[in-house]
Amino acid sequence: NMSGDSDLEIEEAFRRAQKAHNNKAKLVASLKNRYNKLEDKTEFHEEFIRCLKYAMIIYTREPAVENVIDFVTKFAASFETPVNENAEEEEEGEDENEFLNFLFCFLLESHGANSHAVRFRVCQLVNKLLGSLSENAQIDDGLCDRIHEAMLIRVTDKYPNVRIQAALAMARLQDPSNSDCPTIKGWYVTCICVLVTSTCLETVIWRLKRLSGEHRKLIITRPNLLPVLAEKVHIRALSIAQRVSLLHEGLSDSADSVKEVVKTHLLPAWLRLLQGDVLQLLHKLDVENCAETAVTTLHAVFSMATSPDDLLQNGVRLDERKLIPVDSLTCENVLYWRALCEFVKSKGNEGEELLEQLLPEAAIFAEYLCSITGLSEEQKADMTQLEIAMTQEFVGQQLIILVGCLDTSEEGGRKRMVAVLQEILVMPKTPTSLIGLLVEKLIGLLRDETQKIQMVAEIISDVREPILPISAPVDENEKRRKQLAEVRVQIMEAKQNLEECISCQDFSRAAVLKDSISQLEELKNQLTLEASQPADSIKEQRVEKSDPETLLKCLTMCAELFKQINIKRGICPTMNALIESLILPSVSNPNPAVRNMAVICLGTAALHSKDLANTHLVLLLQITQLDEPKIRISALRALIDQLLLNGLNILQDKSAPISQAPDSPDNSNGQPEQQTEEESTVQSILKMLSEFLDSEICELRTETAEGLAKLMYCGRILSPKLLSRLVLLWYNPVTEDDQRLRHCLGVFLQLYSRASRTNQECVEESFLPTMRTLFNAPVTSPLSEVDASNVAELFVELTRPSALVQPAAIQAVSVHDSLAVRICNEILRDVSAPEVRLYCKTLSWLEINTEPGPANSELQLLLKDILQYVAYLLSPPSVRPSRRAKIAALDKTKQDLTALMNQEANGS
C-alpha cells in the first residue's frame, strides 16, 4: 500500500522496484522524500549502493534486474535541476545534484571491475542516466571528462554488450558541430553503433571498408545505420567520394544481405530526396570518374522496377530514330542508356522486345557513332576545351560499348559498322583511351580469325604510315615567270642597241643583234606557253610516324588483337611481322608509356608461342628488375601468366609442379648440362619472386604475392617456404593498409588448404618455419607485433581434416596427426623455451585420430616424454559444467534479489 509510504525504506523500494506492475514514479517520489529529510546523507548513499550492487553482479537481462536499473535511473534523474535559474537556485541545485554526482562517481570507479557483469551494468547505467537527462542538462566539466575517458576504454571491452552500452553512452557526449570533438575522434574509429553526423561520416565509411565480411554484414544490416544515413543525412551532406564509396562497398559486398539493404534502403531514400530523378542521382556521383559503380547502381535500380514501363519512364528521351540527339548527349543520359540496354540484354529472350525499343538498326547507329568525333590537336591544346574533350571522350566510350548490344545479324548493317569502326581507328584525333575498346568491338563483329588479324594489321599500317600529300620543293611556274621577265628585259636592250647600230650605219653588228632578238623572242614565246599550262598534280606517299602517341595507338591495337585471338592458333607471319617491326623496337623506346605497352604486347604474344616465350624470357626477367615500377609490374604480370600457362619448367617440353624452394640446394649431380641450366633458371625465377615479397614498392609486392598465390593454387608451385612467406606477409603490420593484398591472401589460404590433402600437407610443413620466424623476430621487426597464438590457430583451422572440400572417407594418418608429431618433436628440442607453452596449447586444438595404429602409438610416446619435462607448464584443465549445472545457474539468475539482500542483512 503506497498511500502510507511517505518515507520508504531503501531496501523496500528496491524490492518493490523489481515488480513491473509497481508505479516507479511513486517509488521515486517516496524515496526522494525520505532523502530530502536527511541532514547527513552518507548512510543513505551507502545503503543505496549496497542494494544496487546485487543488481550489478547479474549479467543476463532478467526482467527483475532491468526493472531495478530503470528505477535507479529515474531516481537519480529526479535530482536534476533546471539550467535557467538565478544564482541562489543554482547553489540549491548543487545540493540537489549531490546524489547524481555521487552515483556517477561510484559507477566510474567501478567500470574497471574484473566481472564483465559489473562492467556491463556500469555502462548501462551511465548510458541510461545520460539519456534520461534533459536536452539542455549541464554536467560538471571534470565529471564529463571522466565519463568520456571511462567509456572510451569500455568501447574496446572484450564483451560486445559492454562495448554497445559504452558506445551508446558516448553518443550523448558528442558535439556534431565540432570537427575536433574528442568523442567523435576517439570513438568512431572503433565503433559504429549510434548517431551518424556529417562530421564522422568519412570515418564511418572508412571503418566499414576495413571490417571483415561478417562484421561489415552485422553493422550495415543493423536497423539503425543505413536508415540514419538515408533518412537523417541528406545526400548533399555527403561528398561525392563518400556517396560513391557507400554504393561501391555496399553493392559489391560478398554478402547478399548487405547488397539487399543498400538496394532497399539507401537507394530508394536517395531517390526520394531527388524526386525520383535517376539522372540527377547520377549527376551527384560524377559518373565520368566512377562509371562502373554508376552502372552497378543503375542495375540495382532497374532490378527494383515492377514493369518494363518503369524502365522507360524515368530514363532518357529517344527520338524517332531511337537515338539521343547529338546536341542533347550528356555523360549521365548516355550512361543510363548504355546501362539500361545492357540490363535488358542480360534478360535474354525476355528482353528482346524492350531492347528493340531502345536501340536502332546497326547501320543507323554506325552513322550516329561516326558523327561523334573527337577534338583537333589545336582544340586539345586549348585548356578551355579540356572539359569538353573529357566529356566527349566519355560519351564516345559509352556509345562504343553500346555496339555490343546491337543486333548485327543483318549483313549490311554489320559491314557498315565495321567500316565506321575502321574509319574511327584511323582518324588522328581519336583518343588513345578509346583504341582498345574500338578494336575489341571491331574484332567482335568479324567472324574469321584470319580476317581479324589482317584487318587490324592494315589499320596499324595506316596509322603508323599514313599517306600524306607532298608538293614539289620549288614552284616551277615561279621560275618561268622570273626567267620570262629577264628575257623581256634582254629583248628591250637588244632592240635599243639595234636602233643605235642602224643610226650609226653599223650594219654588221645590227645583223648579229637581229639574230639575237629572234632567239630571245622564241625563248619568250616558249616560256609564255609553259607558264600558261597547268601545274603537275600533287604527289602522295607514305610517311612513317614514330611519335609516342602514334606508337601507343598501334601497340594498344596489337595488345587487343593478341588478347582476342585464340592462343591455340599460334603465331602467324602477320603477327610475327608486327612483333619484329613494332613491338620489339618499342621495348627500348625512351617514352615510358610506349615501353610499358610494348612489354604488355610482348607478354601477351608470348602466350601464343612457347618458342617466342623461351626466346624473350630473359628480356622479361631483366625488365622486372631494371625498369620503372609500372613497367616492372607489367613485365611481372607477363612472367606470371607465362608460368601459369606453361609451368616453371618453361624451358622443357613437359610441365609439372615445382616443389623446390627458392634457396633449395642443387641436386643435379649426374644430370645433363642443359637440364642443370634449366633448373638454375627456375631457381633464379623463384629467388627473384621471393625477393619481390620484401620490395618497398607496394604495388610490386602485392602483384608478386598475388602471382605466387595463383601459381600455388594452380599446382605450378609446391613450396612450404613460399607459403610461409605469404602467411607472414598477410599478418605483417606493414601490409595493414594494403586491402588488395590482405583480401587476396585471405581468400587464397582458405581455398588452397581446402582443395586437397596435398595442399594441407604443404600448409603443415610451413607451420614450424612460420612460428620460428615469429618467435625469433627482433624487437625492431614489425613481425614482433604479430600474435603468434592467432597464427597457430589459423594453421590448425587450415589443416583440419573436416575442412577439405572432399574429405577422405578413411584416413590412417590425418594431417593433424602429423602436425602433432612435428609439434611434439619441436617441444622436446628445448623444453625450457618460452614458446613451449603455445605449442602445448596448440596440441589441445588438434583433431587427433584416436584409432590404434603406429602414428597414434608414436604420438603417445612423445606426449609421455613431454609430460616428464614440462608438466609444470601445463595449466590445470578446466572442467566444463554439465547441462544440469548450467540450467541450475540460469534458474538462479531468474530469482529476485530479495533473498540475497536478506541473507547479507542477517549475516551482518
Side-chain angles (χ1 to χ4, degrees):
N1 182 13
M2 294 294 300
S3 59
D5 296 338
S6 58
D7 296 337
L8 192 64
E9 293 291 337
I10 298 174
E11 185 173 329
E12 180 63 22
F14 271 84
R15 185 177 291 108
R16 294 185 182 182
Q18 298 177 58
K19 309 300 181 182
H21 60 80
N22 280 321
N23 190 325
K24 292 186 177 57
K26 291 184 178 180
L27 286 175
V28 167
S30 178
L31 192 60
K32 187 176 181 181
N33 185 39
R34 175 182 177 82
Y35 181 84
N36 291 333
K37 291 180 180 180
L38 296 174
E39 293 183 2
D40 184 7
K41 299 179 172 55
T42 304
E43 186 178 348
F44 183 96
H45 291 167
E46 293 176 354
E47 179 66 11
F48 190 92
I49 294 301
R50 185 188 72 83
C51 295
L52 176 60
K53 285 180 178 179
Y54 292 104
M56 293 179 64
I57 61 175
I58 298 178
Y59 182 68
T60 55
R61 305 295 289 264
E62 296 295 331
V65 180
E66 296 301 316
N67 289 334
V68 168
I69 297 295
D70 290 340
F71 163 71
V72 172
T73 302
K74 287 181 170 59
F75 180 73
S78 67
F79 290 91
E80 180 193 356
T81 55
V83 176
N84 297 326
E85 301 287 344
N86 54 38
E88 294 180 0
E89 291 178 342
E90 285 183 2
E91 293 178 0
E92 182 181 351
E94 292 179 2
D95 295 335
E96 288 275 333
N97 287 335
E98 180 184 358
F99 179 82
L100 189 60
N101 293 336
F102 162 76
L103 184 58
F104 268 124
C105 290
F106 164 74
L107 294 174
L108 295 177
E109 290 170 359
S110 307
H111 85 88
N114 291 332
S115 170
H116 62 280
V118 174
R119 298 197 304 272
F120 167 67
R121 294 301 177 182
V122 165
C123 295
Q124 184 188 30
L125 278 167
V126 172
N127 171 35
K128 286 181 173 290
L129 285 171
L130 291 174
S132 63
L133 299 179
S134 61
E135 191 67 26
N136 60 347
Q138 291 185 352
I139 301 178
D140 179 71
D141 290 341
L143 179 60
C144 186
D145 291 340
R146 289 182 61 193
I147 296 174
H148 173 266
E149 292 172 2
M151 295 301 102
L152 194 59
I153 295 173
R154 293 279 67 84
V155 292
T156 61
D157 197 276
K158 179 180 179 180
Y159 287 83
N161 285 338
V162 179
R163 297 197 300 268
I164 291 173
Q165 293 299 323
L168 292 172
M170 293 187 70
R172 186 68 195 277
L173 299 177
Q174 67 174 327
D175 182 4
S177 62
N178 182 10
S179 59
D180 296 324
C181 174
T183 301
I184 294 177
K185 281 191 171 182
W187 160 64
Y188 272 111
V189 176
T190 55
C191 187
I192 312 167
C193 298
V194 294
L195 297 177
V196 180
T197 65
S198 58
T199 306
C200 63
L201 279 173
E202 186 173 351
T203 310
V204 171
I205 296 169
W206 174 85
R207 187 63 179 169
L208 282 175
K209 289 182 181 179
R210 298 175 65 86
L211 288 172
S212 63
E214 288 300 319
H215 289 91
R216 184 170 60 254
K217 175 183 175 182
L218 179 66
I219 292 294
I220 204 168
T221 54
R222 288 178 68 90
N224 62 332
L225 179 62
L226 275 182
V228 168
L229 283 175
E231 302 293 346
K232 296 188 178 181
V233 180
H234 199 284
I235 187 173
R236 294 191 183 92
L238 300 169
S239 67
I240 292 176
Q242 289 172 342
R243 299 167 198 161
V244 173
S245 182
L246 275 173
L247 292 174
H248 174 72
E249 297 296 329
L251 293 174
S252 62
D253 198 278
S254 57
D256 292 337
S257 57
V258 175
K259 298 177 186 176
E260 192 64 24
V261 170
V262 175
K263 287 169 58 176
T264 57
H265 287 78
L266 191 63
L267 281 175
W270 282 0
L271 286 173
R272 282 195 299 272
L273 293 171
L274 299 172
Q275 289 75 46
D277 191 342
V278 181
L279 296 182
Q280 187 64 21
L281 175 62
L282 293 179
H283 182 71
K284 299 290 184 185
L285 299 179
D286 187 18
V287 295
E288 291 182 66
N289 297 313
C290 63
E292 294 311 312
T293 300
V295 169
T296 306
T297 302
L298 287 172
H299 286 176
V301 173
F302 299 152
S303 65
M304 293 185 290
T306 56
S307 66
D309 293 336
D310 293 340
L311 297 175
L312 297 173
Q313 184 177 4
N314 298 323
V316 296
R317 292 184 175 85
L318 305 178
D319 59 17
E320 66 280 357
R321 299 174 302 163
K322 303 176 187 176
L323 297 170
I324 301 176
V326 175
D327 55 355
S328 300
L329 280 171
T330 64
C331 295
E332 290 77 24
N333 62 17
V334 73
L335 185 73
Y336 185 97
W337 190 21
R338 166 215 161 175
L340 181 57
C341 292
E342 287 179 335
F343 179 79
V344 174
K345 188 176 178 64
S346 67
K347 300 298 181 182
N349 297 333
E350 182 184 345
E352 282 187 3
E353 183 178 350
L354 182 57
L355 192 61
E356 290 179 0
Q357 303 177 42
L358 295 171
L359 285 174
E361 296 177 356
I364 297 175
F365 191 84
E367 301 300 331
Y368 178 71
L369 184 62
C370 192
S371 64
I372 311 296
T373 57
L375 300 180
S376 63
E377 294 298 326
E378 294 77 11
Q379 290 173 313
K380 289 181 181 179
D382 186 359
M383 294 301 295
T384 60
Q385 301 286 333
L386 184 60
E387 186 175 353
I388 299 175
M390 294 175 62
T391 300
Q392 200 163 10
E393 186 174 327
F394 181 82
V395 169
Q397 182 186 47
Q398 304 310 310
L399 293 178
I400 294 169
I401 294 175
L402 264 177
V403 172
C405 297
L406 294 172
D407 180 10
T408 56
S409 58
E410 196 271 319
E411 188 67 18
R414 188 182 66 83
K415 287 184 176 180
R416 180 55 189 152
M417 180 58 71
V418 169
V420 167
L421 293 177
Q422 283 181 280
E423 293 174 13
I424 297 175
L425 281 168
V426 176
M427 289 168 59
K429 54 186 177 181
T430 301
T432 306
S433 60
L434 300 182
I435 296 296
L437 191 57
L438 286 165
V439 174
E440 177 190 341
K441 299 305 177 185
L442 175 64
I443 292 177
L445 292 172
L446 301 174
R447 293 160 186 166
D448 181 61
E449 290 208 337
T450 303
Q451 184 185 10
K452 296 176 182 179
I453 297 171
Q454 192 64 35
M455 183 172 290
V456 175
E458 291 175 359
I459 295 173
I460 291 174
S461 177
D462 291 340
V463 172
R464 195 180 182 194
E465 299 180 354
I467 300 176
L468 299 177
I470 57 170
S471 57
V474 181
D475 192 351
E476 295 294 335
N477 285 337
E478 187 66 25
K479 280 185 178 181
R480 294 189 186 97
R481 283 193 294 271
K482 291 181 180 180
Q483 191 175 2
L484 183 58
E486 293 175 356
V487 170
R488 285 172 177 170
V489 171
Q490 291 175 4
I491 290 174
M492 289 177 62
E493 291 178 350
K495 285 183 177 181
Q496 195 173 21
N497 291 333
L498 178 61
E499 290 179 357
E500 291 177 356
C501 289
I502 293 175
S503 62
C504 296
Q505 297 183 357
D506 188 356
F507 297 108
S508 59
R509 187 167 180 270
V512 175
L513 288 172
K514 188 176 181 181
D515 293 339
S516 177
I517 291 171
S518 298
Q519 292 175 2
L520 289 173
E521 289 288 349
E522 289 179 3
L523 180 59
K524 185 187 75 169
N525 293 334
Q526 183 181 353
L527 292 173
T528 303
L529 180 63
E530 290 177 357
S532 63
Q533 293 179 353
D536 295 339
S537 59
I538 298 176
K539 297 180 180 179
E540 293 180 340
Q541 70 175 20
R542 287 189 176 273
V543 178
E544 183 176 356
K545 298 174 67 176
S546 58
D547 60 286
E549 185 177 2
T550 300
L551 290 176
L552 196 56
K553 286 183 178 181
C554 296
L555 289 168
T556 304
M557 288 188 235
C558 261
E560 195 62 38
L561 174 65
F562 287 129
K563 189 190 300 183
Q564 298 292 334
I565 298 299
N566 193 332
I567 61 174
K568 294 182 180 180
R569 178 185 175 85
I571 298 292
C572 67
T574 304
M575 297 168 71
N576 191 60
L578 290 173
I579 295 170
E580 296 295 332
S581 63
L582 177 63
I583 297 175
L584 290 177
S586 299
V587 170
S588 57
N589 192 281
N591 186 279
V594 173
R595 205 158 62 246
N596 183 55
M597 187 55 68
V599 170
I600 293 174
C601 288
L602 182 60
T604 312
L607 297 175
H608 293 259
S609 169
K610 190 173 182 179
D611 293 336
L612 183 66
N614 292 338
T615 303
H616 301 292
L617 179 63
V618 176
L619 176 61
L620 288 175
L621 288 173
Q622 291 175 344
I623 296 173
T624 56
Q625 302 175 74
L626 300 177
D627 217 314
E628 295 183 5
K630 183 178 181 181
I631 304 173
R632 292 176 65 186
I633 291 172
S634 297
L636 178 62
R637 288 173 181 168
L639 181 63
I640 295 294
D641 289 342
Q642 194 59 234
L643 298 178
L644 285 170
L645 181 65
N646 295 313
L648 277 172
N649 45 4
I650 186 175
L651 302 176
Q652 302 173 4
D653 292 332
K654 297 181 181 179
S655 61
I658 300 296
S659 58
Q660 296 292 332
D663 53 353
S664 60
D666 184 10
N667 56 358
S668 58
N669 296 331
Q671 298 296 327
E673 183 178 352
Q674 181 181 359
Q675 183 175 351
T676 303
E677 293 178 358
E678 292 169 354
E679 291 179 355
S680 176
T681 303
V682 169
Q683 300 305 324
S684 299
I685 293 174
L686 289 175
K687 183 179 179 181
M688 181 194 71
L689 295 176
S690 180
E691 291 173 352
F692 283 172
L693 292 177
D694 296 323
S695 174
E696 295 181 358
I697 305 172
C698 176
E699 294 80 6
L700 183 63
R701 181 181 63 214
T702 301
E703 199 68 43
T704 304
E706 186 174 332
L708 286 172
K710 291 177 181 178
L711 290 169
M712 295 190 73
Y713 184 73
C714 294
R716 294 301 188 182
I717 296 179
L718 190 63
S719 172
K721 291 186 178 180
L722 282 177
L723 182 61
S724 174
R725 292 291 308 278
L726 293 180
V727 173
L728 291 171
L729 190 64
W730 191 42
Y731 274 99
N732 198 320
V734 173
T735 65
E736 184 178 3
D737 295 328
D738 193 342
Q739 294 184 19
R740 178 187 166 197
L741 174 68
R742 289 289 180 100
H743 176 75
C744 169
L745 293 180
V747 173
F748 158 71
L749 290 173
Q750 295 293 331
L751 295 179
Y752 178 76
S753 60
R754 294 175 181 175
S756 67
R757 166 72 183 258
T758 303
N759 292 353
Q760 282 197 338
E761 290 173 352
C762 182
V763 175
E764 174 213 335
E765 290 182 40
S766 66
F767 172 74
L768 288 179
T770 304
M771 302 306 295
R772 288 170 186 163
T773 303
L774 291 177
F775 292 137
N776 298 327
V779 180
T780 56
S781 171
L783 291 177
S784 63
E785 303 175 17
V786 177
D787 183 1
S789 176
N790 187 275
V791 179
E793 287 185 42
L794 173 70
F795 275 95
V796 171
E797 291 302 319
L798 294 179
T799 54
R800 203 172 290 280
S802 57
L804 288 171
V805 176
Q806 294 180 342
I810 299 177
Q811 290 185 352
V813 180
S814 69
V815 178
H816 271 194
D817 293 338
S818 303
L819 182 58
V821 172
R822 286 180 184 271
I823 294 175
C824 289
N825 287 324
E826 185 68 14
I827 293 173
L828 291 172
R829 282 182 58 189
D830 184 4
V831 294
S832 62
E835 57 266 21
V836 168
R837 184 181 297 274
L838 177 57
Y839 284 142
C840 293
K841 187 178 181 181
T842 306
L843 286 174
S844 67
W845 297 335
L846 298 174
E847 294 179 3
I848 305 298
N849 189 355
T850 58
E851 296 295 329
N856 190 277
S857 301
E858 180 186 3
L859 185 58
Q860 288 185 12
L861 292 175
L862 290 171
L863 290 174
K864 288 180 180 179
D865 292 340
I866 292 173
L867 288 174
Q868 292 178 359
Y869 292 103
V870 296
Y872 64 94
L873 292 176
L874 299 170
S875 58
S878 58
V879 180
R880 190 174 183 178
S882 64
R883 184 175 181 84
R884 182 176 298 176
K886 287 183 179 179
I887 295 175
L890 187 62
D891 290 339
K892 185 177 181 180
T893 63
K894 291 183 178 179
Q895 302 175 33
D896 61 27
L897 306 178
T898 305
L900 291 174
M901 289 189 291
N902 290 338
Q903 181 179 353
E904 179 158 332
N906 295 333
S908 60

